[in-house]
């Protein structure tokens, strides 16, 4: 069947219409005429497989990765980088308007100079079939494992360590849902490896210990240090951060500097002296902004992350940060002293209903909302506007080149 691609979806698929029904077609670009086969029928939409591009977009290019059309990790490699940024901005604007009713003008997306080799972390899946063990990524929309031997969006050294592990899969005992995580710090080049639901034998462990500063095992969420130091060191904004294997840290080390700068610039620090950093993790925002204000309170439900945040404050000689363990929506209303402003960087699922109610109860003058999901961001912003807040600025930052994901920094003012 032949389709005209009207637009792009938030997940990077081309969007066509046929018989009043939306058709999502992977690897098709807005403005193209394509031939595709319907592979999945749903009540309100269908999905198609691209067979042929009849009328090609000027923005179509050859993907850099040989696994691109099989692997589900990237969705924009067939599009020029500048056009990727244009698409992401348009999608953010459309979603915020459609779901949240937000009509505030979105600033131009801030991209990177080099949209390759930026990821400082990778999670490889491992399984076994009649041909033996293999390590790779899942095929798009499936659990079919695609063996990948080199990924062009990973930092180069991560590919080297990945190859060492891949060559030694016979020495790794696996079970269901086995995977291995590798992270490298950008400044100190320290490496942590975490074996999740799998175990390396002593020979594999000894070889990898020559490459990694820390090696962990993780079974059912319980981590155990197998080799090396407890934490690796990262540097952001001139501050040192100690990270455990499961601590959240942005995967694009270059853009995280821009993210912190943007958050700092949006806050009116002449008015915001006491700040709450909700979902603070290891204290990236708290510590970077602490010397510009009188007090920062960091809140997170992850005890290990809060312990590491406290360590990071001590290491950086920051004395005006207080870190608290617990649910943000419960701690906020119980704070004994009022605060002026708030920073939030919640998980992809966004805020719980209780959180927006809690914020509305304490009414900080300004709220910075950092989000990697335009859909949940739009949903939450709508509730903020219904609770006496106005969206002032929206700044998209491309933390994830070659993919459909986009980070957004939003300033809300009471």
């Amino acid at each position: 069947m032949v389709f005209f691609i009207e637009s792009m979806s938030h997940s990077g698929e081309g969007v066509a219409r046929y018989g009043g029904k939306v058709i999502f077609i992977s690897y098709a670009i807005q403005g193209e005429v394509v031939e595709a086969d319907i592979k999945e029928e749903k009540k309100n939409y269908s999905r198609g497989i691209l067979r042929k591009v009849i009328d090609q977009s000027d923005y179509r290019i050859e993907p850099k990765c040989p696994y691109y059309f099989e692997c589900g990790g990237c969705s924009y490699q067939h599009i020029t980088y500048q056009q990727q940024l244009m698409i992401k901005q348009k999608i953010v604007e459309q979603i915020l308007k459609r779901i949240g009713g937000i009509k505030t003008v979105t600033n131009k997306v801030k991209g990177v100079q080099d949209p390759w080799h930026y990821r400082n972390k990778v999670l490889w899946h491992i399984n076994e079939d009649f041909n033996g063990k293999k390590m790779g990524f899942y095929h798009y929309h499936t659990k079919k494992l695609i063996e990948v031997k080199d990924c062009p969006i990973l930092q180069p050294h991560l590919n080297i360590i990945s190859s060492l592990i891949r060559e030694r899969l016979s020495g790794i005992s696996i079970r269901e849902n086995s995977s291995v995580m590798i992270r490298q710090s950008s400044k100190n080049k320290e490496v942590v490896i975490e074996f999740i639901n799998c175990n390396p034998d002593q020979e594999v462990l000894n070889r990898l210990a020559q490459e990694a500063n820390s090696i962990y095992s993780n079974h059912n969420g319980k981590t155990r240090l197998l080799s090396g130091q407890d934490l690796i060191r990262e540097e952001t904004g001139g501050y040192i951060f100690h990270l455990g294997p499961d601590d959240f840290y942005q995967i694009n080390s270059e853009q995280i500097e821009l993210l912190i700068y943007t958050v700092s610039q949006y806050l009116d620090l002449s008015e915001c002296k006491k700040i709450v950093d909700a979902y603070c993790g290891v204290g990236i925002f708290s510590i970077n902004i602490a010397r510009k204000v009188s007090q920062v309170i960091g809140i997170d439900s992850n005890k290990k992350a809060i312990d590491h945040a406290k360590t990071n404050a001590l290491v950086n000689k920051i004395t005006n940060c207080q870190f608290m363990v617990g649910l943000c929506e419960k701690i906020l209303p119980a704070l004994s002293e009022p605060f002026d402003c708030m920073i939030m960087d919640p998980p992809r699922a966004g805020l719980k209903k209780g959180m927006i109610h809690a914020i509305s109860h304490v009414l900080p003058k300004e709220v910075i909302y950092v989000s990697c999901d335009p859909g949940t961001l739009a949903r939450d912003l709508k509730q903020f506007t219904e609770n006496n807040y106005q969206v002032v600025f929206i700044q998209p930052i491309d933390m994830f080149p070659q993919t459909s994901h986009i980070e957004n920094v939003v300033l809300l003012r009471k």
Side-chain angles (χ1 to χ4, degrees):
M1 298 175 68
V2 176
F3 301 95
F4 173 72
I5 306 302
E6 298 179 359
S7 60
M8 305 292 291
S9 75
H10 69 278
S11 59
E13 299 166 301
V15 179
R17 295 182 186 276
Y18 183 80
K21 197 174 187 180
V22 173
I23 315 293
F24 296 108
I25 304 174
S26 300
Y27 313 116
I29 305 175
Q30 183 175 354
E32 289 185 331
V33 177
V34 303
E35 184 179 311
D37 295 336
I38 301 299
K39 69 170 184 177
E40 183 181 7
E41 289 276 9
K42 298 289 186 179
K43 182 179 179 181
N44 298 319
Y45 68 91
S46 299
R47 275 205 162 81
I49 299 175
L50 181 66
R51 295 302 183 192
K52 182 181 179 181
V53 179
I54 299 171
D55 189 359
Q56 180 174 295
S57 168
D58 293 338
Y59 304 113
R60 180 174 287 276
I61 58 174
E62 190 68 24
K64 188 171 184 176
C65 178
Y67 309 100
Y68 175 61
F69 292 111
E70 293 182 276
C71 170
C74 296
S75 51
Y76 281 165
Q77 282 194 32
H78 63 294
I79 304 173
T80 62
Y81 183 58
Q82 289 305 311
Q83 187 62 17
Q84 291 182 32
L85 300 180
M86 295 291 289
I87 292 170
K88 290 183 179 185
Q89 179 165 351
K90 189 172 183 180
I91 287 173
V92 169
E93 291 173 346
Q94 289 174 341
I95 291 177
L96 292 181
K97 184 177 180 180
R98 176 170 53 86
I99 298 177
I102 307 299
K103 298 178 182 179
T104 305
V105 176
T106 301
N107 292 341
K108 185 178 179 181
V109 179
K110 292 185 177 181
V112 295
Q113 288 187 340
D114 182 6
W116 303 100
H117 302 297
Y118 64 87
R119 282 194 67 106
N120 57 38
K121 179 182 177 181
V122 61
L123 180 69
W124 296 106
H125 301 288
I126 305 174
N127 69 14
E128 188 172 16
D129 57 22
F130 57 87
N131 289 320
K133 294 173 185 172
K134 58 184 180 180
M135 186 172 88
F137 299 129
Y138 287 137
H139 187 278
Y140 187 61
H141 282 309
T142 75
K143 287 284 187 172
K144 178 185 177 184
L145 191 68
I146 306 299
E147 191 171 17
V148 175
K149 296 184 178 179
D150 186 85
C151 176
I153 66 171
L154 295 185
Q155 292 179 355
H157 194 58
L158 291 186
N159 276 316
I160 294 172
I161 296 176
S162 298
S163 294
L164 288 174
I165 296 173
R166 191 176 295 105
E167 292 165 2
R168 291 162 175 80
L169 286 177
S170 60
I172 301 173
S173 61
I174 67 171
R175 55 182 183 176
E176 189 177 2
N177 296 322
S178 290
S179 56
V180 59
M181 184 278 295
I182 314 168
R183 172 189 277 165
Q184 180 185 34
S185 66
S186 60
K187 303 294 183 181
N188 303 303
K189 306 302 180 185
E190 293 184 349
V191 172
V192 59
I193 300 173
E194 183 178 40
F195 289 94
I196 304 168
N197 296 325
C198 57
N199 291 300
D201 63 23
Q202 195 60 46
E203 183 178 348
V204 172
L205 186 61
N206 291 342
R207 177 63 185 90
L208 293 178
Q210 300 174 35
E211 305 292 335
N213 300 81
S214 305
I215 302 178
Y216 278 84
S217 68
N218 182 332
H219 293 281
N220 300 318
K222 296 181 179 180
T223 58
R224 181 169 66 93
L225 182 65
L226 301 179
S227 173
Q229 62 200 43
D230 286 343
L231 307 174
I232 65 168
R233 294 170 300 162
E234 182 59 276
E235 184 178 332
T236 304
Y239 295 98
I240 299 298
F241 292 91
H242 290 75
L243 304 173
D246 301 319
D247 284 331
F248 172 76
Y249 185 81
Q250 295 285 353
I251 55 89
N252 191 322
S253 302
E254 176 185 346
Q255 290 292 79
I256 192 175
E257 301 282 352
L258 175 60
L259 180 63
I260 291 169
Y261 174 80
T262 303
V263 169
S264 300
Q265 289 297 302
Y266 273 9
L267 283 174
D268 183 359
L269 296 181
S270 64
E271 295 291 333
C272 297
K273 296 301 182 182
K274 293 184 179 181
I275 295 180
V276 168
D277 181 7
Y279 312 95
C280 68
V282 297
I284 304 295
F285 290 121
S286 296
I287 289 170
N288 269 278
I289 208 168
R291 288 198 170 105
K292 301 174 183 177
V293 298
S294 61
Q295 183 183 12
V296 181
I297 298 174
I299 307 170
D300 201 289
S301 60
N302 187 314
K303 185 180 183 303
K304 283 186 178 180
I306 289 293
D307 288 342
H308 296 160
K310 292 177 180 178
T311 298
N312 294 330
L314 288 172
V315 167
N316 291 287
K317 299 179 181 179
I318 300 294
T319 58
N320 62 334
C321 282
Q322 178 186 358
F323 293 103
M324 307 173 72
V325 180
L327 296 174
C328 296
E329 61 268 25
K330 291 186 177 180
I331 291 180
L332 276 180
L335 291 177
S336 57
E337 296 184 9
F339 58 93
D340 306 307
C341 302
M342 185 171 182
I343 302 170
M344 302 182 299
D345 188 4
R348 183 177 294 274
L351 303 175
K352 295 180 180 178
K353 289 184 179 180
M355 181 61 174
I356 295 177
H357 176 74
I359 295 169
S360 301
H361 177 73
V362 295
L363 284 177
K365 297 173 184 176
E366 292 184 342
V367 176
I368 293 283
Y369 191 158
V370 181
S371 170
C372 62
D373 189 301
T376 56
L377 174 64
R379 177 201 67 197
D380 293 343
L381 291 183
K382 182 179 181 180
Q383 293 186 58
F384 272 108
T385 60
E386 293 170 351
N387 284 274
N388 204 32
Y389 279 90
Q390 177 186 8
V391 176
V392 182
F393 293 115
I394 304 168
Q395 178 60 67
I397 298 176
D398 192 22
M399 307 288 290
F400 321 98
Q402 315 306 331
T403 79
S404 61
H405 302 295
I406 183 74
E407 197 88 0
N408 288 281
V409 180
V410 181
L411 171 62
L412 293 147
R413 189 168 288 151
K414 185 171 68 173

